[in-house]
Every structure is written in C-alpha cells, then in structure tokens.
C-alpha cells in the first residue's frame, strides 16, 4: 500500500501539508481589481458625460485631469499615468479571470447544457459575465490604447472628432454594452459572495440586490448612450474642421498654457 505521506504535485505532503492558500488569494485579487475597475467606471461615466452639460464643462474636467488648474499649464502625460494604472488593473483582472473560463469546446458545451437545464438565473448571469468579459479583451483594447498614447486628444471637439470622423462610435456601442453588463453582474456577484447588504432572509436579499443591479445597469446604459449621442452630434457638426481642438470662448483671445 502507498504511504499517505507521498508527495502530491503542487500541494505538498498528503496528510501533513496544508492546502495552498493561493486559489483564495487569487480570488481575492480578482474581486479587488474588479471592484476598483467598477468604481473607476462609475467615475469615468460621470466625467465623460459632462458633455451633456456643456462643451465648457467637459473641457474643464479634461483640463483638471491634465493639471491645468494647479500648474497653469496642461500636462496630458498625467492622464497617461492614470490610463497605465487602469490597463495594469485590467490585465491582472483578465489574467486571473481566464482561470475560470471553460478551457475547451467540450467543457463549454457541458456548462452550456447544464445552464439551459437548470435555468438558474445566477448561473446564467455568470455565463453573460464571462462572455462580456471575453468581448472586453478586444473592444476595450483600442480605446485604452488611444487614451494612453494620445491623451492630448481628449476634449469636446477632439473626442467628438474621434467618435464620428474617427469611426469609434460602433466600437463604443459594443464597449458600452459589454462593460455595463459585465460590471453590473460583477458587482452583484461580489455583493452576494461577500455578504454585502445581507438581511435576515437570503432570498429576499438576492432579490433586492438583483433589482439594484438592473437599476444601475439601466441608469449607466441610458447615461452612456445619451453621452455617446452627444459626441456623435458634436462630431458631425465639427467634421469640416476635423482636428481643430476646442478652446473655450473665454480663452480664445489668450490660449496661454493650454495645449494648442
Ligand atoms: C483611464 C482610462 C480611460 C480614459 C482616460 C477614458 C476616457 C474616455 C473619453 C475621453 C471618452 C469620450 C470619447 C473619446 O474621447 O474617445 C471615453 C468614452 C468611453 N469609454 Fe473611456 N476612458 C478610459 C478607460 C475606459 C475603460 C477601461 C472602459 C471600459 C472597459 C471605457 C469605456 C468607455 C466607453 C464605453 C465610452 C463611450 C462613451 C459613452 O458612451 O458614455 N473607458 N472614455
């Protein structure tokens, strides 16, 4: 008979060794990066949607992040540093998430079959989260890359030009749908997993959380599409002057220190 103290690959000595804590740690890092990204996304949607207030409001937010109101001069590179941090979080989060994807067609069909048979809503939600997460690999990449490499091209006209004449609007429709569904489901699953807002009746808590999740998703999708429509409108009107940056009326006489 084999000894119970034999070495099991990757685990240690059977019977004597503790199980590895790494799966739990990796799970925690995946949840943490997801939470930070979801909170970032809420902020991002509000900042970008300032275009719904006015061109000047969006310009002011942009220049704020470029340090213009602190240094009296714009440093778009400051935005690149933020983008680099967000990209790092995205890469870590995605790298850890692929551990949970079905790794071959057989696994996928088995999961899909179980999902259809069980009709368990939370399992179906997981499927959509995995699918939209996979889509985000592709649809988020062009956006974060252009933000990283051309942070100086953010502004009412600059963004409108990119969205319309630069043909980014189809990408943004897909990106918006993917990120809002993915983030909404992700936050809901985090709340269930870590017992946030838990009440005495777990079924009632889940129902409440689900309502909140859909309310947030609908809100951010509505805000996102209204914002996108505003950039499209500006982009169409500005197409004949493509490439000309926005300068607020108050600064048109003396655009000192503002980039371009
Ligand atoms: C720090 C990194 C980021 C910056 C500075 C940034 C900035 C912007 C800006 C300025 C726009 C307006 C359109 C444009 O100028 O092209 C925009 C739009 C958008 N961004 Fe980002 N973004 C960042 C990261 C992300 C990430 C990580 C996602 C999702 C994974 C995302 C999703 C979107 C979507 C969906 C739109 C379309 C606008 C809408 O419909 O509301 N962004 N972003």
């Amino acid at each position: 008979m084999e000894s119970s103290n034999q070495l099991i690959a990757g685990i240690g000595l059977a019977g004597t060794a503790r199980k590895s804590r790494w799966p739990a740690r990796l799970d925690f890092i995946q949840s943490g990066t997801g939470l930070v990204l979801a909170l970032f996304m809420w902020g991002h949607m509000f900042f970008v949607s300032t275009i719904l207030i006015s061109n000047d409001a969006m310009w002011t937010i942009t220049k704020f992040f470029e340090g213009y109101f602190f240094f009296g001069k714009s440093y778009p590179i400051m935005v690149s540093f933020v983008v680099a941090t967000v990209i790092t979080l995205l890469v870590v989060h995605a790298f850890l998430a692929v551990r949970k994807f079905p790794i071959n067609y057989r696994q996928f069909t088995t999961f899909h079959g179980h999902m259809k048979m069980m009709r368990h809503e939370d399992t179906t939600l997981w499927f959509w989260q995995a699918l939209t997460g996979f889509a985000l690999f592709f649809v988020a990449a062009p956006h974060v890359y252009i933000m990283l490499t051309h942070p100086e091209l953010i502004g009412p006209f600059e963004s409108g030009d990119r969205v319309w004449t630069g043909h980014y609007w189809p990408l943004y429709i897909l990106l918006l749908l993917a990120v809002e569904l993915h983030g909404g489901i992700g936050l809901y699953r985090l709340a269930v997993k870590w017992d946030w807002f838990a009440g005495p009746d777990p079924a009632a808590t889940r129902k409440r959380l689900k309502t909140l999740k859909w309310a947030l998703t609908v809100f951010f999708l509505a805000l996102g599409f209204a914002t996108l429509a505003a950039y499209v409108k500006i982009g169409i009107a500005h197409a004949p002057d493509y490439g000309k940056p926005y300068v607020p009326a108050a600064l048109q006489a003396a655009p000192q220190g503002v980039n371009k």
Side-chain angles (χ1 to χ4, degrees), residues 43-113:
H44 167 285
M45 295 311 283
F46 285 122
F47 297 141
V48 172
S49 67
T50 49
I51 199 69
L52 294 170
I53 303 173
S54 67
N55 286 352
D56 280 0
M58 195 264 177
W59 179 89
T60 305
I61 286 288
T62 306
K63 293 299 152 193
F64 171 81
F65 284 114
E66 292 175 359
Y68 176 65
F69 300 111
F70 300 103
F71 310 117
K73 192 175 176 323
S74 284
Y75 293 99
I77 184 88
M78 287 171 60
V79 176
S80 292
F81 281 116
V82 178
V83 184
T85 310
V86 171
I87 292 177
T88 308
L89 287 170
L90 280 173
V91 171
V92 172
H93 185 70
F95 180 75
L96 295 176
V98 282
R99 286 176 308 149
K100 305 196 175 155
F101 281 11
I103 54 164
N104 54 39
Y105 187 67
R106 201 153 152 217
Q107 275 194 6
F108 174 78
T109 45
T110 308
F111 171 79
H112 201 247

Side-chain angles (χ1 to χ4, degrees), residues 14-190:
T16 57
R18 271 188 299 126
K19 282 203 175 136
S20 169
R21 286 192 177 154
W22 273 105
R25 282 187 192 129
L26 296 180
D27 235 23
F28 188 73
I29 299 172
Q30 193 191 340
S31 295
T33 47
L35 179 64
V36 175
L37 284 167
L39 296 179
F40 160 80
M41 227 27 231
W42 285 0
H44 167 285
M45 295 311 283
F46 285 122
F47 297 141
V48 172
S49 67
T50 49
I51 199 69
L52 294 170
I53 303 173
S54 67
N55 286 352
D56 280 0
M58 195 264 177
W59 179 89
T60 305
I61 286 288
T62 306
K63 293 299 152 193
F64 171 81
F65 284 114
E66 292 175 359
Y68 176 65
F69 300 111
F70 300 103
F71 310 117
K73 192 175 176 323
S74 284
Y75 293 99
I77 184 88
M78 287 171 60
V79 176
S80 292
F81 281 116
V82 178
V83 184
T85 310
V86 171
I87 292 177
T88 308
L89 287 170
L90 280 173
V91 171
V92 172
H93 185 70
F95 180 75
L96 295 176
V98 282
R99 286 176 308 149
K100 305 196 175 155
F101 281 11
I103 54 164
N104 54 39
Y105 187 67
R106 201 153 152 217
Q107 275 194 6
F108 174 78
T109 45
T110 308
F111 171 79
H112 201 247
H114 285 174
M115 184 180 92
K116 285 186 115 175
M117 191 180 66
M118 289 195 301
R119 291 170 186 275
H120 178 244
E121 201 184 333
D122 282 17
T123 308
T124 310
L125 283 180
W126 182 87
F127 175 76
W128 281 101
Q129 202 196 2
L131 197 76
T132 49
F134 183 69
L136 280 170
F137 279 122
F138 308 99
V139 287
H143 178 54
V144 288
Y145 185 73
I146 199 86
M147 292 295 129
L148 179 76
T149 54
H150 283 291
E152 77 287 2
L153 296 183
I154 296 177
F157 290 168
E158 297 88 328
S159 295
D161 281 347
R162 177 171 33 252
V163 168
W164 183 247
T165 312
H167 302 148
Y168 265 66
W169 63 267
L171 179 88
Y172 284 164
I173 291 177
L174 296 178
L175 182 55
L176 188 61
L177 287 170
V179 82
E180 293 311 335
L181 285 176
H182 186 83
I185 300 172
L187 280 179
Y188 163 77
R189 286 165 48 81
L190 275 186

Side-chain angles (χ1 to χ4, degrees), residues 193-204:
K193 188 168 179 174
W194 301 102
D195 261 349
W196 296 342
F197 316 111
D201 176 1

